[in-house]
Amino acid sequence: MKITNILLLGFLFFASISKADIADIKPDALNDIKAFNLYCERTYNPKKNTNTLLLIDATDPLNADQVSYIKDNFISNLKWDNEGDKFTIVILDNKSVMNSSFITICSPLTESQITLSMAKNRELDKIAYFKKAVSEAFNGLVQTKVKASQSPIIESLVEIFRSKRYGFENGNRHLIIASDLYQNSSYISFYKLCNSGQCPSFKDTLKNKSISEFIGNEAKLNFNSKDSVEIFQLKTQDKISFTVKPWWMDFLLSLGLSKERIKISSQL
């Protein structure tokens, strides 16, 4: 019997997987996603496990090249250290940031942790099913094709950090952002700030009182010294805005992260 069927026996649905989230996921893969979502309840330990969250900005529907770029950097390069490491994928699209679709699953043992006393084939099956679950969760969530009127990236991050809904309040946290980095909301819009083609520095944007108040009072993310952030910068209209990258670097530094714990790479 497949391990997914064993894990799922007696369980029908889980809180962090809504009908909207799973609409575009294949039925057989959905069993794996449900199983490893349940796996978190008995394996995830915030004192030892890594808590990875990937926020995908799909406020402009993703094209094939953008999807491939995220896949190459995250899905195909998926690594974990311990049983119970948590992976959450959140989609920022046309829905409210308080209702973003997301899926959370937890990892099995790594292949190197399988001992002679274990049923090796069963543990290898778990690894294969887990990788498939991550891939299919990603494939289903990125299918959104509705263009949003705004791109509230910062507001979405604030919600992720303060809401228990996403389970990102503890553990060794690793935040990954896949976005063109063009924040666009009523609080701060790079389409207005960078209309000359050159984005201002983070310091210069704070000269605007409303932006300064937003950053100082609302855009607070409770990073700690062990947290890390990785950004996959996506192209906008087949171009990369390199002048927006320093703004994000300085914004993250202002929140207490050290430069060594921030990595930004761009789609070429």
Side-chain angles (χ1 to χ4, degrees), residues 82-99:
N82 295 293
E83 181 182 38
D85 283 353
K86 186 189 290 187
F87 292 85
T88 301
I89 303 175
V90 182
I91 286 290
L92 175 61
D93 53 17
N94 63 317
K95 294 189 288 296
S96 160
V97 296
M98 292 184 290
N99 294 300

Side-chain angles (χ1 to χ4, degrees), residues 37-125:
N37 177 266
L38 173 64
Y39 207 55
C40 292
E41 295 182 14
R42 70 179 184 85
T43 61
Y44 176 69
N45 181 344
K47 293 183 179 180
K48 72 167 188 175
N49 286 120
T50 299
N51 189 350
T52 299
L53 186 144
L54 169 63
L55 172 65
I56 302 174
D57 177 6
T59 49
D60 283 323
L62 301 171
N63 60 40
D65 287 343
Q66 290 171 324
V67 171
S68 293
Y69 177 67
I70 302 170
K71 269 190 174 182
D72 290 344
N73 283 277
F74 180 70
I75 304 299
S76 301
N77 195 35
L78 192 67
K79 293 183 178 67
W80 64 95
D81 297 317
N82 295 293
E83 181 182 38
D85 283 353
K86 186 189 290 187
F87 292 85
T88 301
I89 303 175
V90 182
I91 286 290
L92 175 61
D93 53 17
N94 63 317
K95 294 189 288 296
S96 160
V97 296
M98 292 184 290
N99 294 300
S100 294
S101 296
F102 73 104
I103 286 175
T104 297
I105 56 180
C106 286
S107 65
L109 294 169
T110 66
E111 189 169 346
S112 65
Q113 292 169 331
I114 300 173
T115 66
L116 293 174
S117 63
M118 295 177 183
K120 184 174 181 180
N121 288 339
R122 186 184 70 179
E123 296 303 322
L124 290 175
D125 281 347

Side-chain angles (χ1 to χ4, degrees), residues 69 231-234 240-242 245 264-268:
Y69 177 67
I231 294 177
F232 303 143
Q233 186 185 12
L234 306 177
I240 283 289
S241 174
F242 291 106
K245 289 170 67 174
I264 304 178
S265 56
S266 302
Q267 180 187 5
L268 301 178

Side-chain angles (χ1 to χ4, degrees), residues 1-245:
M1 182 183 289
K2 286 180 64 175
I3 188 66
T4 48
N5 293 333
I6 296 172
L7 289 171
L8 282 169
L9 194 59
F11 292 88
L12 297 177
F13 233 78
F14 304 98
S16 66
I17 307 177
S18 72
K19 290 183 179 180
D21 297 334
I22 65 174
D24 295 300
I25 298 173
K26 297 176 184 177
D28 59 334
L30 183 57
N31 283 345
D32 295 315
I33 293 169
K34 289 179 180 179
F36 288 107
N37 177 266
L38 173 64
Y39 207 55
C40 292
E41 295 182 14
R42 70 179 184 85
T43 61
Y44 176 69
N45 181 344
K47 293 183 179 180
K48 72 167 188 175
N49 286 120
T50 299
N51 189 350
T52 299
L53 186 144
L54 169 63
L55 172 65
I56 302 174
D57 177 6
T59 49
D60 283 323
L62 301 171
N63 60 40
D65 287 343
Q66 290 171 324
V67 171
S68 293
Y69 177 67
I70 302 170
K71 269 190 174 182
D72 290 344
N73 283 277
F74 180 70
I75 304 299
S76 301
N77 195 35
L78 192 67
K79 293 183 178 67
W80 64 95
D81 297 317
N82 295 293
E83 181 182 38
D85 283 353
K86 186 189 290 187
F87 292 85
T88 301
I89 303 175
V90 182
I91 286 290
L92 175 61
D93 53 17
N94 63 317
K95 294 189 288 296
S96 160
V97 296
M98 292 184 290
N99 294 300
S100 294
S101 296
F102 73 104
I103 286 175
T104 297
I105 56 180
C106 286
S107 65
L109 294 169
T110 66
E111 189 169 346
S112 65
Q113 292 169 331
I114 300 173
T115 66
L116 293 174
S117 63
M118 295 177 183
K120 184 174 181 180
N121 288 339
R122 186 184 70 179
E123 296 303 322
L124 290 175
D125 281 347
K126 281 187 187 180
I127 292 171
Y129 298 145
F130 175 71
K131 288 181 177 180
K132 186 179 79 169
V134 176
S135 180
E136 291 295 344
F138 172 82
N139 290 339
L141 289 172
V142 297
Q143 293 302 312
T144 178
K145 298 299 180 185
V146 181
K147 182 178 175 62
S149 59
Q150 294 188 328
S151 299
I153 305 167
I154 296 174
E155 292 90 331
S156 184
L157 291 174
V158 170
E159 187 64 22
I160 284 168
F161 271 80
R162 75 180 178 184
S163 173
K164 292 185 177 181
R165 178 175 186 254
Y166 300 100
F168 200 58
E169 69 272 19
N170 54 34
N172 301 312
R173 296 184 299 183
H174 180 51
L175 172 66
I176 305 173
I177 304 168
S179 171
D180 61 9
L181 301 182
Y182 255 60
Q183 160 78 19
N184 179 31
S185 72
S186 57
Y187 291 107
I188 178 170
S189 172
F190 282 107
Y191 289 101
K192 294 178 180 178
L193 292 172
C194 311
N195 58 9
S196 66
Q198 180 78 22
C199 295
S201 68
F202 176 71
K203 184 178 179 179
D204 283 343
T205 59
L206 295 182
K207 294 176 182 178
N208 180 303
K209 184 179 179 181
S210 62
I211 292 176
S212 178
E213 289 178 348
F214 170 62
I215 296 294
N217 299 326
E218 302 297 332
K220 293 183 177 180
L221 310 179
N222 59 330
F223 285 116
N224 62 54
S225 60
K226 294 183 179 180
D227 291 336
S228 60
V229 176
E230 187 170 5
I231 294 177
F232 303 143
Q233 186 185 12
L234 306 177
K235 289 183 177 179
T236 302
Q237 298 177 345
D238 207 36
K239 295 180 180 178
I240 283 289
S241 174
F242 291 106
T243 61
V244 78
K245 289 170 67 174

